[in-house]
């Protein structure tokens, strides 16, 4: 079974600084997707960024980028120029590309605090 | 695009009653929707996969007679918590799967509803 591990329950960053959230996963599959979702206090899950395993290039979305290391099964999220609105719980998630019922497997989350 | 709504956003009910939660995809069709449960400060736990026109697939340990799922159309799935008890109090979240190409940039991604907070007294 696939597992997703987020080893940082909480992280803090100063406004305008950069922070990296860690995520590792375990799978025997070679074709899969990885996601970072953000859950602010409203509890609405918001897709931050998505990475397809067969793509070697790291995904980027404005201030958000990932460091995808397939051999190491690592998928970290870097937030640049942190803003107060980035404060939220961040979940890393994995999904097989074929089979598996398209189910997402989530990590336990990292609570990000942004300080002035 | 890719907006998912849930109704109600919160509900309080008495023990023993049934509660229905609706999940709608507003600007796309979803052949597959998912129902999650989330306890405070915890991750999302998948309860079941809802497939349009067929029976839902429940995860191990989830009582299908307790949590009834109906996916009668391509834009609506419902979760009914039957004979609710205080231990069923939780935050319930649905998501809908967008199949690639139908919404720009979506590429087979799950989009989530805003959640429903259920409190059983």
């Amino acid at each position: 079974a696939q597992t997703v591990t987020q080893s940082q329950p909480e992280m803090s960053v100063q406004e305008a600084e950069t922070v990296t959230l860690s995520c590792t996963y375990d799978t025997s599959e070679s074709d899969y997707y990885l996601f970072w979702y953000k859950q602010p206090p409203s509890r609405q899950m918001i897709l931050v960024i998505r990475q397809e395993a067969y793509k070697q290039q790291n995904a980027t979305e404005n201030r958000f980028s990932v460091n995808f290391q397939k051999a190491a099964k690592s998928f970290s999220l870097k937030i640049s120029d942190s803003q107060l609105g980035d404060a939220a719980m961040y979940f890393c998630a994995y999904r097989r590309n074929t089979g598996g019922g398209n189910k997402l497997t989530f990590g336990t989350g990292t609570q990000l605090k942004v300080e002035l | 695009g890719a907006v998912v709504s849930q109704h109600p956003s919160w509900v309080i009910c008495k023990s023993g009653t049934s509660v229905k939660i609706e999940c709608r995809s507003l600007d796309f069709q979803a052949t597959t929707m998912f129902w999650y449960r989330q306890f405070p400060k915890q991750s999302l736990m998948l309860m079941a996969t809802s497939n349009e026109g067929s029976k839902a697939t429940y995860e191990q340990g989830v009582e299908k007679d307790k949590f009834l799922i109906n996916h009668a159309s391509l834009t609506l799935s419902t979760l009914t918590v039957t004979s609710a008890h205080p231990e069923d109090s939780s935050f319930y979240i649905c998501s809908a799967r967008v199949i690639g190409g139908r919404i720009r940039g979506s590429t087979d991604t799950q989009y989530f509803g805003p959640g429903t907070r259920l409190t059983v007294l």
Side-chain angles (χ1 to χ4, degrees):
Chain A
Q2 293 81 21
T3 58
V4 178
T5 301
Q6 292 179 250
S7 59
Q8 306 155 316
E10 288 187 3
M11 291 284 284
S12 293
V13 63
Q14 297 281 335
E15 197 177 15
E17 296 296 310
T18 296
V19 65
T20 298
L21 308 184
S22 301
C23 173
T24 59
Y25 59 94
D26 186 26
T27 183
S28 58
E29 303 288 328
S30 60
D31 192 10
Y32 50 87
Y33 287 93
L34 295 164
F35 304 85
W36 278 98
Y37 281 92
K38 168 185 176 181
Q39 188 179 39
S42 68
R43 304 192 76 172
Q44 168 76 62
M45 293 285 283
I46 301 166
L47 176 65
V48 175
I49 201 164
R50 172 184 51 237
Q51 176 79 42
E52 294 162 76
Y54 69 87
K55 289 187 177 179
Q56 293 185 344
Q57 187 174 8
N58 289 323
T60 63
E61 285 289 340
N62 301 314
R63 297 183 296 107
F64 299 88
S65 62
V66 298
N67 183 2
F68 173 48
Q69 300 291 327
K70 191 171 184 179
K73 296 180 183 175
S74 171
F75 183 61
S76 60
L77 174 70
K78 185 172 82 171
I79 306 174
S80 304
D81 186 27
S82 297
Q83 301 175 0
L84 294 177
D86 295 333
M89 180 73 88
Y90 286 81
F91 292 100
C92 178
Y94 164 98
R95 183 179 71 76
R96 290 171 60 180
N97 195 25
T98 56
N102 296 292
K103 295 186 287 190
L104 285 170
T105 300
F106 285 94
T108 50
T110 296
Q111 182 70 51
L112 178 65
K113 298 181 180 179
V114 181
E115 301 169 340
L116 293 171
Chain B
V3 178
V4 178
S5 71
Q6 274 184 248
H7 179 80
S9 56
W10 60 271
V11 57
I12 301 173
C13 69
K14 292 182 178 180
S15 186
T17 61
S18 294
V19 175
K20 180 185 285 188
I21 302 170
E22 294 184 347
C23 177
R24 293 181 186 272
S25 54
L26 298 186
D27 49 2
F28 65 98
Q29 293 182 331
T31 55
T32 305
M33 292 183 173
F34 302 85
W35 287 96
Y36 297 84
R37 184 172 180 177
Q38 186 180 32
F39 291 103
K41 299 189 184 299
Q42 293 189 22
S43 189
L44 281 69
M45 182 191 79
L46 179 66
M47 298 175 65
T49 302
S50 172
N51 299 296
E52 187 268 336
S54 64
K55 291 183 178 180
T57 304
Y58 290 83
E59 295 300 299
Q60 191 173 7
V62 177
E63 299 175 60
K64 60 182 180 181
D65 294 330
K66 172 77 171 174
F67 300 99
L68 300 179
I69 291 172
N70 183 279
H71 193 157
S73 78
L74 288 172
T75 59
L76 173 65
S77 175
T78 60
L79 168 68
T80 301
V81 183
T82 63
S83 186
H85 287 91
E87 58 266 29
D88 298 324
S89 298
S90 189
F91 192 67
Y92 293 88
I93 307 175
C94 74
S95 70
R97 178 189 171 207
V98 177
I99 299 175
R102 296 185 185 182
I103 292 180
R104 182 166 176 259
S106 63
T107 317
D108 202 359
T109 295
Q110 287 186 33
Y111 289 88
F112 288 79
T116 297
R117 179 173 299 285
L118 170 64
T119 302
V120 185
L121 302 176

